[in-house]
Amino acid sequence: MGDPWRPGWRRSLGLCFLLLWSTALGAVELTVRELRDDPPAAEVLAGQHDARLAPPRPEATIQQSAREAQWWRIDAAAPVAVDTSPKLVLRSPFLYRVEAWVPGADAPVRHALYGEHADDRYSARSLVIDLPAGIPAGEPVWLRIEHRSTMLTAVSVETLDEIHRQDLAHVAWRSLVLTSLAVLVILALAFWGGTGERSYGYFGAMLLCAIGYLAAIGGDLRWLPWADAVFGTSAQTNRLFGCSGVVFSNLFQRSYLDLPRKLPWFDRLLAVGTGIAAFAAVCTLFGDWPVFSMAGNFALLYSAAVLLVASAVLAFDGDRVARVVLVSWLSLMVFSFLAALQMMGLWSGPAWLGQGLAGSFVLASLLLAIGLLDKLLQLRRDRDHASRQAVIDPVTKAMNRQGIEERLYREVEDARERAAPLSIAFVDVDRFKEINDCHGHSVGDQCLRIVSWRLRNQLRRNEAIGRYGGDEFLVVLPGRRQDEALSIAERMRISVNCRPLSTADLELVATLSIGVAELEPGESMASLFERADTALYASKSAGRDRASAAAPQEGLWTV
């Protein structure tokens, strides 16, 4: 590829650098400081409490996890002109209810993600506060924020055009995330109902909790009439979704990885995290206490660490399922770990962490769904194998009585529908009891295998043979008239008596007695069996080592 590509790469990198540089130049540097109590608005606006403001935060973010209401002061490093239609943007506000005092306004404006102060002109990604006079030099924006939240809210100044572009991207991204998760939920529950495999049920429940959690904290369901009461008044609902999601995630991984059998010690460790998450979920139903949020986040971090180590151990040992889990779950574990650290106040992440968490849910779910589909195919292969084994005779590897009767039933129905001929042959190994009595059952079994192979070699692909009893075989001959079936019976008889049956130490001579019958119009399967069996006994009575055709049925019968 060489030199022709280098100028193109230089131009592309140059354009990216210019775009980043222009964004940096256009960004407004903000300073955020908090007043850690709730004095009257007149005193705050008059500057009486400026001396008590906390030092500026390292980044322009708000995180109010300790108090129900307090004040925040936003200062711009440079004046913000009004000609660009500037807006103050609070990303990922979740439960915050904001009263904003902005320059040039006589009264505060109220904003919230849910309830009567929700602004449906913008997406749910942020609260957008108008700045009718911009931000003049030396004048701050004061925010009085009610409610606690562990979410990290980034603060920025953006133009109206920038807000609309980002809103469109946000709506497209959230639609993709939630729709993908919903489709996977439907598939998982359908597979659970179809197979009864518990891991599919746990997977579907985990994804339902993920949808509820993402929709609750992101405001995607704020258009519902009851959304404010369910999602906007406390963190109980999203905490319930989050803790329940940890429980179902652990149950899914435990079942999918088969930890009780493969790694019982890790299974016991994981049970601790599952118990903590379940306890936090139950307690959340009775009150909105921050300690349960801490317990849920701890359960998430602890369970993620246990599952990561367990899947790595199994993957190192060559476990295919564990490799799927490790690849699919790694990004989700990383994002969940970082989000939990941020909610616990131990780390301040970037503004896009929430969207990255949502995307990692989709990526992990898609990869796990592929792994579950592979498991479903394996289950189907195992089921088909078990079904085949259920109708296979273990000695001769031909069909057993159940299998050959089911095959005959299908062929009889097909022959009736198409008005096509169908014949059967009952085959009996002459004096087989003497072989067992003289040489033992192992020699007898070997003789049956040889007879079965020789009989099968005389049949076409669509014809079938099965061991009907101890030394009896039933041969199904679709499309064959009785005379054709009699010719095939003769070839089968000759194939056995033309040369001895050779075992490890013996060469035994064997002969066959065969009875052949053709299905007549309206005849029942029982009648067909009876006529073939009568023909078989006619061959035995005539001296054995021969094939006989059944006489036509006399009288009437009912199918």
Side-chain angles (χ1 to χ4, degrees), residues 295-312:
N297 288 324
F298 172 78
L300 172 63
L301 297 177
Y302 172 84
S303 301
V306 171
L307 286 171
L308 186 62
V309 175
S311 57

Side-chain angles (χ1 to χ4, degrees), residues 128-166:
V128 179
I129 302 171
D130 291 333
L131 298 173
I135 302 181
E139 293 194 37
V141 175
W142 284 98
L143 305 178
R144 181 181 179 273
I145 299 181
E146 295 180 352
H147 217 294
R148 294 192 301 266
S149 176
T150 55
M151 302 293 294
L152 192 69
T153 300
V155 184
S156 62
V157 173
E158 301 173 9
T159 66
L160 186 60
D161 289 342
E162 291 172 340
I163 292 172
H164 286 163
R165 283 195 297 270
Q166 294 187 37

Side-chain angles (χ1 to χ4, degrees), residues 263-275:
L263 293 174
W265 176 246
F266 279 95
D267 181 57
R268 289 190 285 271
L269 291 177
L270 186 63
V272 175
T274 306

Side-chain angles (χ1 to χ4, degrees), residues 45 50 62 64 87 108 139 166 181 199 256 270 274 297 309 329 334-335 383 430 468 478 492 520:
L45 298 178
D50 287 358
I62 292 172
Q64 186 168 297
K87 313 287 182 182
E139 293 194 37
Q166 294 187 37
L181 291 177
S199 57
Y256 188 55
L270 186 63
T274 306
N297 288 324
V309 175
W329 215 245
V334 171
F335 276 99
R383 182 201 65 189
D430 295 327
Y468 198 75
M492 290 191 295
E520 299 199 10

Side-chain angles (χ1 to χ4, degrees), residues 310-369:
S311 57
V313 170
L314 291 175
F316 183 77
D317 290 338
D319 190 288
R320 182 177 177 181
V321 171
R323 290 174 180 172
V324 172
V325 170
L326 194 61
V327 171
S328 60
W329 215 245
L330 186 59
S331 63
L332 180 57
M333 286 181 178
V334 171
F335 276 99
S336 299
F337 186 82
L338 296 177
L341 288 179
Q342 178 174 283
M343 291 180 182
M344 295 172 71
L346 303 177
W347 180 69
S348 178
W352 47 263
L353 181 61
Q355 303 304 332
L357 178 62
S360 65
F361 265 116
V362 175
L363 177 62
S365 302
L366 286 173
L367 293 174
L368 284 172

Side-chain angles (χ1 to χ4, degrees), residues 409-422 519 521-522:
Y409 176 81
R410 293 195 300 269
E411 295 294 349
V412 168
E413 293 297 314
D414 186 60
R416 287 173 180 158
E417 289 179 5
R418 299 188 297 110
L422 170 69
L519 181 69

